[in-house]
Short mmCIF file of all heavy atoms in Angstrom, two decimals:
data_model
loop_
_atom_site.label_atom_id
_atom_site.label_comp_id
_atom_site.label_asym_id
_atom_site.label_seq_id
_atom_site.Cartn_x
_atom_site.Cartn_y
_atom_site.Cartn_z
N LYS L 68 115.26 -105.98 -140.23
CA LYS L 68 116.41 -106.68 -139.58
C LYS L 68 117.57 -105.73 -139.62
O LYS L 68 118.02 -105.33 -140.72
CB LYS L 68 116.71 -107.97 -140.29
CG LYS L 68 115.68 -109.05 -140.18
CD LYS L 68 116.14 -110.41 -140.83
CE LYS L 68 115.08 -111.45 -140.63
NZ LYS L 68 115.47 -112.80 -141.20
N PHE L 69 118.14 -105.41 -138.46
CA PHE L 69 119.24 -104.48 -138.44
C PHE L 69 120.08 -104.74 -137.17
O PHE L 69 119.69 -105.53 -136.28
CB PHE L 69 118.69 -103.03 -138.43
CG PHE L 69 117.69 -102.71 -137.30
CD1 PHE L 69 118.15 -102.20 -136.12
CD2 PHE L 69 116.37 -102.92 -137.55
CE1 PHE L 69 117.22 -101.81 -135.16
CE2 PHE L 69 115.42 -102.63 -136.55
CZ PHE L 69 115.87 -102.10 -135.36
N GLN L 70 121.19 -104.07 -137.12
CA GLN L 70 122.17 -104.29 -136.03
C GLN L 70 122.38 -102.96 -135.31
O GLN L 70 122.33 -101.86 -135.85
CB GLN L 70 123.49 -104.76 -136.63
CG GLN L 70 124.58 -104.93 -135.59
CD GLN L 70 125.93 -105.23 -136.28
OE1 GLN L 70 125.90 -105.54 -137.46
NE2 GLN L 70 127.03 -105.18 -135.54
N ALA L 71 122.64 -103.06 -133.93
CA ALA L 71 122.99 -101.93 -133.16
C ALA L 71 124.07 -102.30 -132.24
O ALA L 71 124.37 -103.49 -132.02
CB ALA L 71 121.71 -101.47 -132.38
N ILE L 72 124.76 -101.29 -131.68
CA ILE L 72 125.92 -101.49 -130.77
C ILE L 72 125.59 -100.88 -129.43
O ILE L 72 125.18 -99.70 -129.34
CB ILE L 72 127.19 -100.88 -131.34
CG1 ILE L 72 127.50 -101.55 -132.69
CG2 ILE L 72 128.33 -101.07 -130.37
CD1 ILE L 72 128.74 -100.98 -133.36
N SER L 73 125.72 -101.72 -128.34
CA SER L 73 125.39 -101.22 -127.02
C SER L 73 126.48 -100.36 -126.45
O SER L 73 127.54 -100.14 -127.06
CB SER L 73 125.13 -102.43 -126.09
OG SER L 73 126.31 -103.17 -125.95
N GLN L 74 126.23 -99.82 -125.26
CA GLN L 74 127.26 -98.94 -124.62
C GLN L 74 128.55 -99.62 -124.34
O GLN L 74 129.60 -99.07 -124.40
CB GLN L 74 126.64 -98.40 -123.32
CG GLN L 74 127.50 -97.38 -122.58
CD GLN L 74 126.83 -96.90 -121.27
OE1 GLN L 74 126.14 -97.72 -120.61
NE2 GLN L 74 127.07 -95.66 -120.91
N ASP L 75 128.47 -100.95 -124.01
CA ASP L 75 129.69 -101.74 -123.76
C ASP L 75 130.16 -102.48 -124.96
O ASP L 75 130.79 -103.50 -124.91
CB ASP L 75 129.46 -102.71 -122.60
CG ASP L 75 128.19 -103.52 -122.77
OD1 ASP L 75 127.49 -103.27 -123.80
OD2 ASP L 75 127.88 -104.42 -121.95
N GLN L 76 129.85 -101.94 -126.18
CA GLN L 76 130.38 -102.37 -127.50
C GLN L 76 129.97 -103.79 -127.83
O GLN L 76 130.75 -104.54 -128.43
CB GLN L 76 131.95 -102.30 -127.48
CG GLN L 76 132.47 -100.87 -127.21
CD GLN L 76 131.96 -99.89 -128.21
OE1 GLN L 76 132.11 -100.07 -129.40
NE2 GLN L 76 131.43 -98.76 -127.73
N ALA L 77 128.79 -104.18 -127.44
CA ALA L 77 128.26 -105.49 -127.86
C ALA L 77 127.33 -105.34 -129.04
O ALA L 77 126.56 -104.40 -129.15
CB ALA L 77 127.51 -106.13 -126.68
N ASN L 78 127.49 -106.25 -130.04
CA ASN L 78 126.58 -106.25 -131.20
C ASN L 78 125.22 -106.82 -130.81
O ASN L 78 125.15 -107.92 -130.32
CB ASN L 78 127.25 -106.98 -132.35
CG ASN L 78 128.43 -106.33 -132.91
OD1 ASN L 78 128.52 -105.10 -133.03
ND2 ASN L 78 129.48 -107.11 -133.22
N VAL L 79 124.20 -106.09 -131.16
CA VAL L 79 122.85 -106.49 -130.88
C VAL L 79 122.06 -106.57 -132.20
O VAL L 79 122.08 -105.63 -132.97
CB VAL L 79 122.12 -105.51 -129.93
CG1 VAL L 79 120.74 -106.08 -129.51
CG2 VAL L 79 122.98 -105.23 -128.78
N TYR L 80 121.49 -107.69 -132.50
CA TYR L 80 120.74 -107.90 -133.71
C TYR L 80 119.24 -107.98 -133.44
O TYR L 80 118.79 -108.76 -132.63
CB TYR L 80 121.21 -109.23 -134.35
CG TYR L 80 122.70 -109.31 -134.64
CD1 TYR L 80 123.59 -109.82 -133.68
CD2 TYR L 80 123.24 -108.77 -135.77
CE1 TYR L 80 124.95 -109.91 -133.90
CE2 TYR L 80 124.58 -108.80 -136.02
CZ TYR L 80 125.42 -109.39 -135.09
OH TYR L 80 126.81 -109.40 -135.29
N PHE L 81 118.53 -107.08 -134.16
CA PHE L 81 117.07 -106.92 -134.04
C PHE L 81 116.31 -107.50 -135.20
O PHE L 81 116.76 -107.35 -136.32
CB PHE L 81 116.72 -105.42 -133.82
CG PHE L 81 117.18 -104.87 -132.54
CD1 PHE L 81 118.38 -104.26 -132.44
CD2 PHE L 81 116.36 -104.87 -131.43
CE1 PHE L 81 118.84 -103.70 -131.30
CE2 PHE L 81 116.81 -104.34 -130.25
CZ PHE L 81 118.03 -103.72 -130.17
N THR L 82 115.21 -108.17 -134.89
CA THR L 82 114.20 -108.54 -135.87
C THR L 82 112.90 -107.88 -135.47
O THR L 82 112.37 -108.23 -134.36
CB THR L 82 114.09 -109.99 -136.04
OG1 THR L 82 115.34 -110.60 -136.43
CG2 THR L 82 113.03 -110.35 -137.10
N ALA L 83 112.35 -106.99 -136.25
CA ALA L 83 111.19 -106.20 -135.85
C ALA L 83 110.14 -106.21 -136.94
O ALA L 83 110.43 -106.41 -138.10
CB ALA L 83 111.57 -104.78 -135.47
N MET L 84 108.89 -105.94 -136.51
CA MET L 84 107.79 -105.85 -137.42
C MET L 84 107.24 -104.41 -137.27
O MET L 84 106.89 -103.94 -136.16
CB MET L 84 106.67 -106.83 -137.14
CG MET L 84 105.58 -106.92 -138.23
SD MET L 84 104.27 -105.69 -137.93
CE MET L 84 103.53 -106.29 -136.45
N LEU L 85 107.19 -103.68 -138.43
CA LEU L 85 106.67 -102.30 -138.37
C LEU L 85 105.28 -102.20 -138.99
O LEU L 85 105.01 -102.80 -140.08
CB LEU L 85 107.62 -101.45 -139.20
CG LEU L 85 107.47 -99.96 -139.19
CD1 LEU L 85 107.67 -99.42 -137.81
CD2 LEU L 85 108.40 -99.24 -140.17
N LEU L 86 104.36 -101.61 -138.26
CA LEU L 86 102.98 -101.42 -138.73
C LEU L 86 102.69 -99.92 -138.80
O LEU L 86 102.80 -99.19 -137.80
CB LEU L 86 102.01 -102.10 -137.73
CG LEU L 86 100.54 -102.09 -138.11
CD1 LEU L 86 100.31 -102.87 -139.41
CD2 LEU L 86 99.70 -102.67 -136.92
N TYR L 87 102.27 -99.47 -140.01
CA TYR L 87 102.05 -98.06 -140.23
C TYR L 87 100.89 -97.89 -141.15
O TYR L 87 100.40 -98.82 -141.84
CB TYR L 87 103.25 -97.37 -140.76
CG TYR L 87 103.65 -97.81 -142.13
CD1 TYR L 87 103.29 -97.12 -143.29
CD2 TYR L 87 104.41 -98.98 -142.33
CE1 TYR L 87 103.61 -97.55 -144.56
CE2 TYR L 87 104.77 -99.46 -143.63
CZ TYR L 87 104.36 -98.71 -144.74
OH TYR L 87 104.70 -99.15 -145.97
N SER L 88 100.33 -96.65 -141.27
CA SER L 88 99.26 -96.34 -142.17
C SER L 88 99.26 -94.87 -142.41
O SER L 88 99.93 -94.04 -141.79
CB SER L 88 97.94 -96.79 -141.61
OG SER L 88 97.60 -96.00 -140.42
N VAL L 89 98.45 -94.47 -143.44
CA VAL L 89 98.21 -93.01 -143.72
C VAL L 89 97.48 -92.43 -142.54
O VAL L 89 96.59 -93.06 -141.90
CB VAL L 89 97.43 -92.84 -145.02
CG1 VAL L 89 97.02 -91.40 -145.23
CG2 VAL L 89 98.23 -93.35 -146.23
N LEU L 90 97.80 -91.21 -142.14
CA LEU L 90 97.31 -90.60 -140.95
C LEU L 90 95.84 -90.50 -140.97
O LEU L 90 95.12 -90.88 -139.98
CB LEU L 90 98.04 -89.25 -140.73
CG LEU L 90 97.64 -88.53 -139.43
CD1 LEU L 90 98.11 -89.32 -138.25
CD2 LEU L 90 98.34 -87.13 -139.42
N ASN L 91 95.29 -89.98 -142.07
CA ASN L 91 93.82 -89.85 -142.20
C ASN L 91 93.54 -89.61 -143.77
O ASN L 91 94.42 -89.60 -144.53
CB ASN L 91 93.30 -88.69 -141.38
CG ASN L 91 93.99 -87.40 -141.57
OD1 ASN L 91 94.15 -86.90 -142.68
ND2 ASN L 91 94.47 -86.85 -140.44
N GLU L 92 92.31 -89.31 -144.12
CA GLU L 92 91.89 -89.20 -145.45
C GLU L 92 91.74 -87.69 -145.86
O GLU L 92 91.17 -87.38 -146.90
CB GLU L 92 90.56 -89.89 -145.72
CG GLU L 92 90.70 -91.41 -145.51
CD GLU L 92 89.33 -92.11 -145.73
OE1 GLU L 92 88.70 -91.81 -146.76
OE2 GLU L 92 88.95 -92.88 -144.81
N ASP L 93 92.24 -86.81 -145.04
CA ASP L 93 92.13 -85.39 -145.37
C ASP L 93 92.89 -85.06 -146.63
O ASP L 93 93.91 -85.69 -146.88
CB ASP L 93 92.56 -84.51 -144.22
CG ASP L 93 91.71 -84.69 -142.98
OD1 ASP L 93 90.57 -85.16 -143.10
OD2 ASP L 93 92.15 -84.35 -141.86
N SER L 94 92.49 -84.02 -147.28
CA SER L 94 93.15 -83.62 -148.53
C SER L 94 94.59 -83.25 -148.30
O SER L 94 95.45 -83.65 -149.07
CB SER L 94 92.36 -82.43 -149.16
OG SER L 94 93.01 -82.04 -150.36
N GLU L 95 94.87 -82.55 -147.23
CA GLU L 95 96.25 -82.15 -146.94
C GLU L 95 97.17 -83.33 -146.66
O GLU L 95 98.31 -83.41 -147.11
CB GLU L 95 96.29 -81.11 -145.77
CG GLU L 95 97.63 -80.59 -145.42
CD GLU L 95 97.61 -79.65 -144.24
OE1 GLU L 95 96.46 -79.35 -143.76
OE2 GLU L 95 98.74 -79.22 -143.83
N THR L 96 96.62 -84.28 -145.92
CA THR L 96 97.40 -85.49 -145.57
C THR L 96 97.72 -86.30 -146.82
O THR L 96 98.86 -86.73 -147.06
CB THR L 96 96.64 -86.33 -144.57
OG1 THR L 96 96.38 -85.61 -143.39
CG2 THR L 96 97.40 -87.60 -144.20
N ILE L 97 96.69 -86.50 -147.65
CA ILE L 97 96.90 -87.28 -148.90
C ILE L 97 97.89 -86.52 -149.83
O ILE L 97 98.73 -87.13 -150.45
CB ILE L 97 95.58 -87.46 -149.64
CG1 ILE L 97 94.64 -88.30 -148.71
CG2 ILE L 97 95.76 -88.17 -150.92
CD1 ILE L 97 95.15 -89.60 -148.25
N GLU L 98 97.85 -85.19 -149.80
CA GLU L 98 98.80 -84.43 -150.70
C GLU L 98 100.23 -84.67 -150.16
O GLU L 98 101.13 -84.83 -150.98
CB GLU L 98 98.48 -82.91 -150.57
CG GLU L 98 99.32 -82.10 -151.52
CD GLU L 98 98.96 -80.61 -151.41
OE1 GLU L 98 98.05 -80.28 -150.64
OE2 GLU L 98 99.62 -79.79 -152.14
N ASN L 99 100.47 -84.70 -148.88
CA ASN L 99 101.78 -85.02 -148.29
C ASN L 99 102.25 -86.38 -148.71
O ASN L 99 103.41 -86.56 -149.07
CB ASN L 99 101.80 -84.85 -146.85
CG ASN L 99 101.72 -83.39 -146.35
OD1 ASN L 99 102.13 -82.51 -147.05
ND2 ASN L 99 101.17 -83.23 -145.13
N VAL L 100 101.34 -87.35 -148.54
CA VAL L 100 101.70 -88.71 -148.91
C VAL L 100 102.10 -88.87 -150.45
O VAL L 100 103.04 -89.56 -150.77
CB VAL L 100 100.56 -89.67 -148.59
CG1 VAL L 100 100.82 -91.10 -149.13
CG2 VAL L 100 100.32 -89.72 -147.09
N ALA L 101 101.34 -88.08 -151.22
CA ALA L 101 101.61 -88.28 -152.70
C ALA L 101 102.84 -87.54 -153.17
O ALA L 101 103.48 -87.99 -154.13
CB ALA L 101 100.33 -87.77 -153.39
N PHE L 102 103.22 -86.42 -152.56
CA PHE L 102 104.26 -85.57 -153.13
C PHE L 102 105.49 -85.41 -152.30
O PHE L 102 106.48 -84.85 -152.75
CB PHE L 102 103.65 -84.18 -153.42
CG PHE L 102 102.55 -84.18 -154.43
CD1 PHE L 102 101.20 -84.15 -154.01
CD2 PHE L 102 102.83 -84.33 -155.81
CE1 PHE L 102 100.19 -84.12 -154.94
CE2 PHE L 102 101.76 -84.36 -156.70
CZ PHE L 102 100.47 -84.24 -156.30
N LYS L 103 105.56 -85.96 -150.97
CA LYS L 103 106.73 -85.73 -150.17
C LYS L 103 107.90 -86.56 -150.71
O LYS L 103 109.03 -86.17 -150.60
CB LYS L 103 106.43 -86.21 -148.75
CG LYS L 103 105.64 -85.18 -147.91
CD LYS L 103 106.44 -83.94 -147.64
CE LYS L 103 105.74 -82.94 -146.77
NZ LYS L 103 106.53 -81.72 -146.50
N PHE L 104 107.67 -87.73 -151.29
CA PHE L 104 108.68 -88.64 -151.82
C PHE L 104 108.44 -88.88 -153.30
O PHE L 104 107.28 -88.89 -153.76
CB PHE L 104 108.73 -89.95 -151.00
CG PHE L 104 109.13 -89.79 -149.59
CD1 PHE L 104 108.18 -89.58 -148.59
CD2 PHE L 104 110.47 -89.80 -149.27
CE1 PHE L 104 108.55 -89.44 -147.31
CE2 PHE L 104 110.85 -89.58 -147.91
CZ PHE L 104 109.89 -89.42 -146.89
N ILE L 105 109.56 -89.14 -153.96
CA ILE L 105 109.45 -89.41 -155.39
C ILE L 105 108.59 -90.67 -155.69
O ILE L 105 107.72 -90.70 -156.50
CB ILE L 105 110.87 -89.63 -156.02
CG1 ILE L 105 111.61 -88.28 -155.90
CG2 ILE L 105 110.77 -90.05 -157.45
CD1 ILE L 105 113.06 -88.36 -156.39
N ASP L 106 108.80 -91.69 -154.85
CA ASP L 106 108.09 -92.94 -155.01
C ASP L 106 108.05 -93.63 -153.68
O ASP L 106 108.65 -93.19 -152.67
CB ASP L 106 108.66 -93.82 -156.10
CG ASP L 106 110.14 -94.08 -155.88
OD1 ASP L 106 110.63 -94.03 -154.78
OD2 ASP L 106 110.87 -94.31 -156.88
N SER L 107 107.30 -94.72 -153.65
CA SER L 107 107.13 -95.47 -152.37
C SER L 107 108.46 -96.12 -151.91
O SER L 107 108.65 -96.30 -150.69
CB SER L 107 106.07 -96.56 -152.51
OG SER L 107 106.44 -97.46 -153.57
N ARG L 108 109.33 -96.41 -152.89
CA ARG L 108 110.66 -97.05 -152.49
C ARG L 108 111.41 -96.10 -151.61
O ARG L 108 112.03 -96.49 -150.63
CB ARG L 108 111.37 -97.42 -153.79
CG ARG L 108 112.79 -98.01 -153.48
CD ARG L 108 113.42 -98.45 -154.83
NE ARG L 108 114.80 -98.86 -154.62
CZ ARG L 108 115.83 -98.03 -154.56
NH1 ARG L 108 115.63 -96.71 -154.75
NH2 ARG L 108 117.01 -98.47 -154.36
#
Side-chain angles (χ1 to χ4, degrees):
K68 292 185 178 181
F69 55 93
Q70 175 187 350
I72 299 177
S73 65
Q74 186 181 32
D75 49 358
Q76 302 301 309
N78 291 321
V79 188
Y80 302 94
F81 291 90
T82 301
M84 189 276 293
L85 188 65
L86 183 64
Y87 66 96
S88 68
V89 173
L90 186 60
N91 52 54
E92 300 178 47
D93 294 342
S94 178
E95 183 180 357
T96 301
I97 299 301
E98 183 179 2
N99 288 332
V100 171
F102 297 103
K103 283 290 183 180
F104 294 92
I105 295 176
D106 53 27
S107 58
R108 178 176 173 275

